[in-house]
Amino acid sequence: MSKSLPRKTFPFAVPHPNPLYLAPMAGVSESPFRRLCHRHGADVVVTEFLSAEGIRRENEATISKLRFNVDERPIGVQIFGADPVAMADAAAMVTDLFMPDFVDINFGCPVKKVVRRNGGSGCLKDLDLVEAIIRAVSKATHLPVTVKTRSGWNEEMRDPVGIALRMQDAGAKVFALHARTRTQMYTGQANWDEIAKVVEALDIPVLGNGDIKTAEDAKRMLGHTKADGLMIGRGSYGQPWIFRQTRALINGEPLPAAPAVHERFAVALDHARMVQSYEADPIGAAIEFRKHLGWYVKGLPNSADLRAKLHQVRDFAEVETIFANYLQFYAEYVARGLKADDPDVSSLSCEAA
């Protein structure tokens, strides 16, 4: 696509014409990570997807995930379910009790336990149900209702433009497309051409999502699809600065360098401290944070050994010690001019001197 498309207006205030969203991700886009990504350039964040039934029944674990800080705005709460009445009740409760900037409906999650109940991308097997859910939620809240979905249930039902038009007609105010089918899960390539076609077909803003692993990928997607904004998910794992880097490229500025090792560790520790102050169970929080630590150290010399140590932590203080020891190792690694695949690397110790 080369022709210029008219700029579309978002239904809530965004700081840039092409906003960068942190995608909703179960077990990842929790409040501390959302705040961290905002600090590193994310324009909009969305909560983990939350069960409408859990919300309306006031399940303690579900309600706790609805908490957010003022520095997370603009923020959307994402809900999922297959019962229009339950979805409407949940949207009304979220609006009254938490007042996010928008309510997002998940029509894209491919996980079996969600799909088994016809939630997430399971709804794509019945577009009449999809419309009913959007209309019910829209009536239950004065907040903008947005949607995140996939290109279809399977290849036979793949119709992203048709799906998008029906969701827009039902009342969706922003449409985010992960350009894979449910049956693809995360395999193969996201079809960016489909995002481009949806952008051209809709009157509401369209967000492109899928296969954005680097800032360069994000810039290419924006150029290829002419999307109104981008939604970055797994590409933010261990590198929240991807938003700052992407914004620079969009602005025509040079790509900011990725943080040096000690700076990367500082970001990880900042993230860990936010988690520590947010979660009530310090040991459980440290164990749950192990996955983030693995992502932060990905690609570093001797990272397998480093990850093995980090994946055993039960206290955030242990992380600081492990990082300090690794920085001693890394200083020697640099001083000796070694490469990551040099056999001598394994002889260097990551333990305290």
Side-chain angles (χ1 to χ4, degrees):
M1 287 176 57
S2 58
K3 72 177 185 178
S4 176
L5 297 172
R7 187 171 300 284
K8 301 168 188 176
T9 303
F10 280 80
F12 49 88
V14 291
H16 297 101
N18 299 108
L20 305 177
Y21 279 59
L22 171 67
M25 295 173 287
V28 178
S29 52
E30 299 162 312
S31 180
F33 191 59
R34 298 193 302 259
R35 290 163 57 203
L36 186 71
C37 287
H38 257 315
R39 292 181 191 176
H40 285 270
D43 298 311
V44 184
V45 298
V46 189
T47 66
E48 303 173 76
F49 73 105
L50 302 171
S51 161
E53 287 293 345
I55 294 171
R56 74 195 300 225
R57 296 175 190 276
E58 299 186 42
N59 175 274
E60 186 176 346
T62 304
I63 296 299
S64 70
K65 293 179 180 179
L66 287 166
R67 289 183 293 151
F68 61 86
N69 290 13
V70 67
D71 60 353
E72 295 178 52
R73 291 190 184 275
I75 182 172
V77 167
Q78 189 182 75
I79 60 176
F80 77 92
D83 177 0
V85 174
M87 291 288 280
D89 288 347
M93 282 186 62
V94 165
T95 301
D96 293 341
L97 298 178
F98 295 94
M99 279 299 295
D101 296 280
F102 59 97
V103 175
D104 191 65
I105 303 176
N106 183 310
F107 291 122
C109 178
V111 176
K112 284 184 180 179
K113 67 179 181 180
V114 174
V115 169
R116 194 179 300 125
R117 292 175 286 171
N118 290 325
S121 57
C123 293
L124 296 178
K125 292 183 286 186
D126 184 352
L127 293 183
D128 289 338
L129 174 62
V130 164
E131 285 195 32
I133 289 171
I134 296 173
R135 294 185 192 282
V137 171
S138 297
K139 287 180 181 177
T141 178
H142 67 275
L143 298 173
V145 175
T146 69
V147 295
K148 182 177 188 292
T149 189
R150 286 184 169 233
S151 296
W153 171 254
N154 55 24
E155 288 302 319
E156 291 71 29
M157 302 175 72
R158 190 167 196 150
D159 182 19
V161 172
I163 291 168
L165 287 170
R166 292 191 67 167
M167 290 188 180
Q168 175 180 262
D169 291 346
K173 302 303 182 187
V174 179
F175 181 90
L177 178 64
H178 182 153
R180 286 182 171 90
T181 63
R182 186 270 165 178
T183 52
Q184 279 185 277
M185 299 293 284
Y186 296 99
T187 62
Q189 286 187 318
N191 189 333
W192 291 1
D193 288 340
E194 292 180 336
I195 298 172
K197 290 174 183 175
V198 170
V199 171
E200 192 168 9
L202 294 195
D203 298 320
I204 61 175
V206 175
L207 306 175
N209 176 237
D211 292 349
I212 299 178
K213 299 175 184 176
T214 66
E216 292 92 340
D217 292 337
K219 180 66 163 48
R220 283 193 302 105
M221 177 188 273
L222 194 63
H224 185 96
T225 66
K226 304 299 185 289
D228 303 287
L230 301 176
M231 182 174 277
I232 301 176
R234 289 175 293 164
S236 67
Y237 288 6
Q239 51 173 17
W241 48 85
I242 190 175
F243 296 99
R244 171 173 50 82
Q245 291 179 318
T246 298
R247 179 58 58 196
L249 291 184
I250 291 174
N251 291 344
E253 301 164 2
L255 177 69
V261 176
H262 70 282
E263 295 170 321
R264 188 188 301 196
F265 286 0
V267 172
L269 289 172
D270 185 27
H271 187 180
R273 292 183 191 105
M274 285 194 288
V275 170
Q276 191 173 20
S277 64
Y278 180 80
E279 299 290 352
D281 174 11
I283 295 178
I287 292 172
E288 182 64 23
F289 194 68
R290 291 171 180 174
K291 60 177 180 284
H292 284 283
L293 293 171
W295 294 328
Y296 278 117
V297 305
K298 184 179 179 181
L300 294 180
N302 224 14
S303 62
D305 180 55
L306 179 57
R307 281 197 306 273
K309 291 180 172 61
L310 291 169
H311 284 169
Q312 297 177 46
V313 300
R314 295 176 61 84
D315 186 296
F316 283 109
E318 296 176 52
V319 179
E320 294 194 48
T321 301
I322 293 170
F323 279 171
N325 292 340
Y326 182 85
L327 288 174
Q328 292 181 25
F329 152 80
Y330 188 74
E332 184 177 354
Y333 168 87
V334 172
R336 290 173 57 179
L338 299 175
K339 301 295 182 184
D341 58 354
D342 193 306
D344 288 340
V345 168
S346 61
S347 69
L348 300 181
S349 174
C350 290
E351 304 292 345

